[in-house]
Amino acid sequence: MKYAQITLLSFFFTCQLFTNNFDEDYVSYVNPLIGTDSSFELSKGNTYPAIARPWGMNFWTPQTGKMGDGWAYKYQSNEIVGFKQTHQPSPWINDYGAFSIMPTVGEIKVNEKDRKASFSHQNEIVEPHYYKVFLENINTNVEFTVTDRSSYFKIRFPKTKKANIIIDAFFKKSEIIILPDENKILGVAKNSSGGTPKNFANYFVIEFNQKFYDYGVWSGSGFKSKNTKLKGEHVGSYLSFDTSDNQEIEVKISSSFISHEQAIINLNRELPNSKSFDKILSEGRKIWNKELSKIKVKTFENDKEALSNKTKFYSCLYRTILFPRAFHEYDLNGKQIHYSPYNGKVLDGPLYTDNGFWDTFRAVFPFYSIFYPEKLGEIIQGIMVNPYKESGWLPEWSSPGHRDCMIGSNSASIIAEAYVKGIKNFDVETAYEGIINNTNNEGPLSSVGRKGVQFYNKLGYIPFDVNVNENVARTLEYSYNDFSIWKLAKLLNRPKDEINLFKKRANYYKNVFDKSTNFMRGKLKNGKFQRPFAADAWGGAFTEGSSWHYTWSVLHDPEGLMSLMGGRLNFIKRLDEVFSTPPTSDFSYYGFKIHEILEMELLDMGQYAHGNQPIQHAIYFYNFARQPWKTQEKIRHVMDNLYGDGPDGYCGDEDNGQTSAWFVFSAMGFYPVAPVTGQYVIGSPLFESIKLELANNKSVNIKVSNNEKENVYVSSVKVNNQNYNKNWLDHSIFVTGGEIDFSMSSIPNYSWGSDKGSIPYSMSLEKK
């Protein structure tokens, strides 16, 4: 992986701005450009530099791609066409409510291909809360910082009588109003990629600190006029300023999904006249440092590699707390309100969006359960309960409303995990009602409810030959989801028959396991397995993977999977083969090699595909099989080789924080394989010490001795100064606080964590 020059430039720049409120300037380790060297064909993160506050309603980003292109910012580009307000969670989901501004000099040029300006990464500063770039061919500096719903620009033009700012309200219907006497623009951006009612709109307001002497409106078809209003398929406006004396123009922007009046409330509240650009900039840095400092890591050395590891860690932490997005706003009286993308109404209470639970149930939400338990309750109310009330369905992928993407009903895992861990500041009865609705019905979209549910509930699996795609993957995920429901139903004292039903369904994973091949496999309605079978066949019965990956999708019962395979040694043999088998693939289902296949081939880890979620947990399965040293070795290899600190720093899609949260957990030395169990499987911690600041003002102090680069193996562990031979940790330590001491070695300790009593929870081992 290439080393990110931008990180070093940013490091030296931000040290000058360092505030004494924190023992370290953690922001200086974040490189928002990690993952931006991506394309449709090959993902190295598929990210963009999100200039934002944590969970902010609006993000901003420099735009190098065309309007509507999911790859809005590509590191290989050297031209910028605008600075865009964005809500995009993924290039595959794309954007909504987007619009942009762009400076030009001289002749009015409004279209992207005409107004674009050249830049160099050497003249670019990128931080979580701040962006600055020099546009070379127009000799103009642009910098901006952000709040939750607003942004503050400073544009420094050359001395000229023709300094222009182009406002682009984008396609799919937009409106623009120029208010010359108020130095203000009002706009409406209605673009979306799905998941919105007919009345959806993003209402934006733009204020300038200087008078513009010339102005007009334009359309995407090339029409320009001196009018002050225009609406159409694609409209915008242009403004001209004389910067002969004062070269710097300040621009304040805010928006609302409710109204222009609410956008102005947001602007006045977040960017009051009493606060300067530098004040907002400083506040943004403090907010990010506050969140990043919840985990304080120290490296064994202070060399380039140590800086790289801290950059990877804090950059992943930044990505972990960007989503889900707070979609709600606060009215003039401070009441929390939101526009509902589910029914088009303005309603009270929180709303969160832009999340795909197929990805994030695995590590992002478990992370929040440790560090943000109170906020997690509000998030569940806002991303589960309120959407269910407003649409009749729990979301599985929302952006901003229901999106038809991915599989499973993993909302059940997130809700159950939170409640099991004592997080109860949400309407659990309504959430449970939504869960039960999912288990009995298909939804209006294939991702909502449970596609194939009538077969799953009757037969115990979804057959390969009933025109339900990804049938094995759905069966496996529903089975884990039903395990989650079983655990929640017991806590809610639901009827015994109901509890036992979900316990029974939690075993349905067994129905798609073929003992003759020791793989999960498509099964026909008549009970026979689908033929021909190829373990490396992607798609069809599986989702973005093959049987090599989905055979391990038994998060809640690895012991049960071992039994199916004929015992522990057969389980280990098959798991070893994941990493030793050449990365072949049958991609005939797709007709071409999807990017996930290419990424697997590049990893040099056999059939292991870390660039996608289905198998990311499987390395930790060695702990269940009493060979934790193999987990330790492979975890460290992944952290060292499959994550980087530069623009190509991921080995596949970052996915709303999930691939980042995997790294954050693994670098701390543990991972939530089955979130609802409340257990974290121990791996190989990356740093010399890690301090976790918990929400209740308690802390967990992790000390790691002898943690040189070659010492990847755990020699011994102590918890609260007592010898500890379990190869997992319980959630309780992240509530009460405590001390965890690791001793590392360059050779495996075959006796640590390898006893029968050392292993984590499996459903098959639970006492009846």
Side-chain angles (χ1 to χ4, degrees):
M1 300 290 183
K2 295 177 288 186
Y3 190 77
Q5 293 179 328
I6 189 70
T7 302
L8 292 176
L9 289 170
S10 175
F11 179 79
F12 293 121
F13 173 77
T14 53
C15 283
Q16 299 171 13
L17 298 176
F18 178 65
T19 61
N20 294 322
N21 295 13
F22 300 93
D23 56 348
E24 198 167 352
D25 186 24
Y26 298 94
V27 168
S28 66
Y29 298 114
V30 178
N31 179 11
L33 294 181
I34 294 177
T36 60
D37 186 12
S38 297
S39 64
F40 175 88
E41 295 78 16
L42 183 65
S43 173
K44 299 173 185 176
N46 270 339
T47 65
Y48 57 88
I51 314 304
R53 294 276 177 95
W55 308 287
M57 188 176 89
N58 300 323
F59 298 174
W60 282 82
T61 187
Q63 179 190 346
T64 65
K66 295 178 181 179
M67 173 182 64
D69 185 352
W71 286 262
Y73 178 99
K74 288 187 177 180
Y75 189 81
Q76 296 298 332
S77 299
N78 58 11
E79 293 175 325
I80 287 175
V81 301
F83 300 92
K84 181 174 82 158
Q85 187 192 94
T86 179
H87 310 97
Q88 178 173 296
S90 158
W92 311 109
I93 293 293
N94 216 300
D95 213 341
Y96 61 89
F99 64 93
S100 71
I101 71 169
M102 181 66 186
T104 68
V105 174
E107 180 186 353
I108 299 293
K109 297 177 180 178
V110 297
N111 291 322
E112 288 175 346
K113 63 182 176 59
D114 299 321
R115 72 186 189 224
K116 62 188 178 184
S118 58
F119 79 106
S120 165
H121 294 299
Q122 271 121 9
N123 295 319
E124 186 183 44
I125 295 172
V126 191
E127 297 179 320
H129 64 302
Y130 175 70
Y131 182 84
K132 183 177 183 180
V133 69
F134 177 64
L135 302 177
E136 297 164 353
N137 58 319
I138 58 172
N139 193 28
T140 298
N141 272 302
V142 178
E143 57 182 321
F144 62 88
T145 189
V146 297
T147 58
D148 287 331
R149 298 166 188 84
S150 308
S151 59
Y152 200 152
F153 280 75
K154 285 204 300 188
I155 304 174
R156 186 170 183 81
F157 287 97
K159 291 185 177 182
T160 177
K161 294 184 180 295
K162 199 65 172 172
N164 312 308
I165 295 180
I166 310 301
I167 295 93
D168 190 337
F170 278 32
F171 61 174
K172 299 182 180 179
K173 296 186 180 178
S174 48
E175 302 176 23
I176 211 82
I177 302 172
I178 305 173
L179 302 172
D181 294 340
E182 300 180 48
N183 301 330
K184 186 183 292 184
I185 296 286
L186 300 179
V188 180
K190 297 186 177 183
N191 58 87
S192 80
S193 306
T196 54
K198 289 182 179 179
N199 69 344
F200 168 79
N202 186 18
Y203 303 90
F204 61 87
V205 56
I206 307 177
E207 291 185 353
F208 305 87
N209 72 331
Q210 285 194 46
K211 295 281 297 180
F212 39 87
Y213 71 85
D214 192 17
Y215 52 85
V217 294
W218 57 272
S219 73
S221 63
F223 169 81
K224 278 189 277 192
S225 83
K226 298 288 186 178
N227 293 334
T228 58
K229 296 181 180 181
L230 187 63
K231 65 167 60 175
E233 173 62 20
H234 177 197
V235 305
S237 62
Y238 62 86
L239 312 172
S240 295
F241 301 81
D242 185 345
T243 57
S244 301
D245 296 325
N246 185 355
Q247 294 172 248
E248 192 166 86
I249 296 175
E250 293 189 354
V251 186
K252 294 181 178 180
I253 308 174
S254 196
S255 68
S256 167
F257 295 107
I258 297 170
S259 66
H260 280 122
E261 291 76 16
Q262 182 63 44
I264 292 170
I265 291 170
N266 295 342
L267 181 70
N268 292 336
R269 179 181 286 131
E270 297 185 0
L271 298 178
N273 291 332
S274 59
K275 290 187 177 181
S276 66
F277 180 94
D278 289 342
K279 176 66 174 173
I280 299 297
L281 179 64
S282 175
E283 287 179 354
R285 184 173 218 87
K286 287 179 181 178
I287 286 170
W288 273 108
N289 267 324
K290 178 184 176 183
E291 304 308 331
L292 297 170
S293 67
K294 290 183 187 297
I295 310 176
K296 299 177 172 70
V297 304
K298 291 187 178 179
T299 53
F300 189 79
E301 302 286 352
N302 290 310
D303 57 7
K304 182 177 177 180
E305 185 174 354
L307 175 59
S308 175
N309 282 335
K310 291 184 82 169
T311 297
K312 290 191 290 187
F313 183 84
Y314 285 107
S315 298
C316 283
L317 183 51
Y318 147 79
R319 292 278 172 195
T320 302
I321 57 177
L322 281 174
F323 296 101
R325 179 186 317 286
F327 201 75
H328 51 262
E329 306 174 50
Y330 296 88
D331 70 10
L332 195 57
N333 298 316
K335 185 172 73 171
Q336 191 180 55
I337 57 177
H338 66 268
Y339 166 82
S340 172
Y342 299 98
N343 64 18
K345 298 177 181 179
V346 176
L347 302 166
D348 293 346
L351 197 83
Y352 286 83
T353 188
D354 287 328
N355 221 252
F357 302 150
W358 185 80
D359 303 299
T360 57
F361 88 87
R362 304 166 194 270
V364 174
F365 283 93
F367 179 87
Y368 291 168
S369 76
I370 295 175
F371 294 97
Y372 301 99
E374 186 74 19
K375 186 171 185 66
L376 179 54
E378 183 191 64
I379 289 175
I380 291 175
Q381 186 71 25
I383 204 168
M384 304 282 193
V385 176
N386 286 341
Y388 174 69
K389 289 178 176 180
E390 294 160 22
S391 73
W393 299 94
L394 290 173
E396 298 300 333
W397 231 120
S398 56
S399 181
H402 294 300
R403 299 297 295 275
D404 199 5
C405 185
M406 307 314 295
I407 66 163
S409 52
N410 296 300
S411 52
S413 176
I414 294 168
I415 293 166
E417 179 200 5
Y419 201 80
V420 165
K421 291 179 176 178
I423 298 165
K424 299 181 178 180
N425 59 323
F426 64 94
D427 181 356
V428 70
E429 295 297 335
T430 300
Y432 188 80
E433 179 185 308
I435 287 172
I436 297 302
N437 179 59
N438 275 1
T439 66
N440 292 321
N441 298 284
E442 291 194 358
L445 304 173
S446 67
S447 62
V448 175
R450 290 187 174 183
K451 187 173 182 179
V453 67
Q454 69 273 31
F455 300 106
Y456 176 83
N457 289 354
K458 182 179 179 180
L459 301 175
Y461 66 99
I462 302 173
F464 185 85
D465 56 344
V466 293
N467 294 319
V468 178
N469 62 333
E470 301 159 303
N471 36 82
V472 173
R474 293 180 194 276
T475 299
L476 295 170
E477 297 206 14
Y478 295 165
S479 181
Y480 167 70
N481 300 150
D482 286 338
F483 167 81
S484 304
I485 300 168
W486 171 49
K487 290 296 182 181
L488 179 58
K490 288 171 69 175
L491 288 178
L492 295 178
N493 295 313
R494 300 296 299 176
K496 188 174 181 180
D497 287 349
E498 186 174 306
I499 292 170
N500 289 338
L501 174 65
F502 290 107
K503 181 179 181 181
K504 176 185 175 183
R505 290 178 179 173
N507 285 286
Y508 281 1
Y509 72 88
K510 298 174 182 178
N511 296 334
V512 288
F513 185 83
D514 174 21
K515 292 185 178 181
S516 71
T517 61
N518 266 0
F519 280 108
M520 297 293 176
R521 183 171 172 184
K523 194 174 190 180
L524 304 178
K525 194 175 179 180
N526 63 10
K528 296 180 179 179
F529 284 105
Q530 168 263 339
R531 295 180 182 276
F533 172 70
D536 66 351
W538 281 58
F542 304 103
T543 303
E544 296 178 0
S546 71
S547 188
W548 277 110
H549 312 118
Y550 271 93
T551 292
W552 313 101
S553 288
V554 188
L555 312 183
H556 58 297
D557 200 12
E559 185 71 24
L561 183 59
M562 281 184 220
S563 296
L564 291 176
M565 288 186 172
R568 184 173 69 93
L569 296 181
N570 284 345
F571 178 94
I572 293 168
K573 178 176 180 291
R574 176 47 45 90
L575 191 53
D576 286 343
E577 288 170 351
V578 169
F579 302 96
S580 62
T581 301
T584 58
S585 61
D586 174 353
F587 50 86
S588 55
Y589 176 79
Y590 302 108
F592 65 99
K593 279 189 181 181
I594 60 174
H595 71 91
E596 289 89 351
I597 295 175
L598 292 172
E599 290 143 18
M600 178 186 73
E601 292 175 347
L602 292 170
L603 298 188
D604 195 25
M605 288 190 74
Q607 287 286 338
Y608 181 70
H610 192 77
N612 209 13
Q613 282 65 45
I615 201 172
Q616 285 180 347
H617 65 282
I619 291 180
Y620 285 94
F621 267 19
Y622 284 111
N623 283 40
F624 295 84
R626 296 160 48 196
Q627 292 191 353
W629 59 90
K630 290 184 179 178
T631 287
Q632 296 153 22
E633 177 186 47
K634 288 176 171 58
I635 288 296
R636 193 67 75 88
H637 176 85
V638 170
M639 288 192 288
D640 287 347
N641 295 281
L642 306 190
Y643 289 80
D645 58 13
D648 59 352
Y650 292 103
C651 60
D653 286 354
E654 194 279 330
D655 282 329
N656 289 149
Q658 168 54 31
T659 301
S660 293
W662 187 98
F663 185 92
V664 170
F665 268 119
S666 295
M668 291 191 293
F670 48 89
Y671 185 79
V673 168
V676 176
T677 66
Q679 295 183 355
Y680 303 83
V681 182
I682 290 174
S684 178
L686 187 60
F687 298 103
E688 180 182 4
S689 71
I690 306 131
K691 184 175 183 180
L692 284 58
E693 302 284 2
L694 306 177
N696 58 5
N697 294 319
K698 296 182 180 180
S699 62
V700 174
N701 292 290
I702 302 172
K703 297 177 182 177
V704 189
S705 61
N706 306 318
N707 203 19
E708 288 88 352
K709 182 177 175 62
E710 65 275 13
N711 293 350
V712 303
Y713 299 105
V714 173
S715 178
S716 64
V717 178
K718 288 185 177 182
V719 174
N720 294 327
N721 211 32
Q722 299 294 314
N723 289 333
Y724 190 81
N725 200 47
K726 294 177 180 177
N727 60 37
W728 55 275
L729 299 167
D730 189 78
H731 183 72
S732 59
I733 196 170
F734 303 113
V735 177
T736 61
E739 306 281 335
I740 304 171
D741 293 282
F742 287 89
S743 179
M744 307 301 289
S745 173
S746 61
I747 56 174
N749 179 353
Y750 297 116
S751 15
W752 180 84
S754 56
D755 295 339
K756 286 184 178 180
S758 300
I759 63 175
Y761 172 92
S762 280
M763 182 181 175
S764 292
L765 297 176
E766 182 166 340
K767 294 179 182 179
K768 297 183 180 179

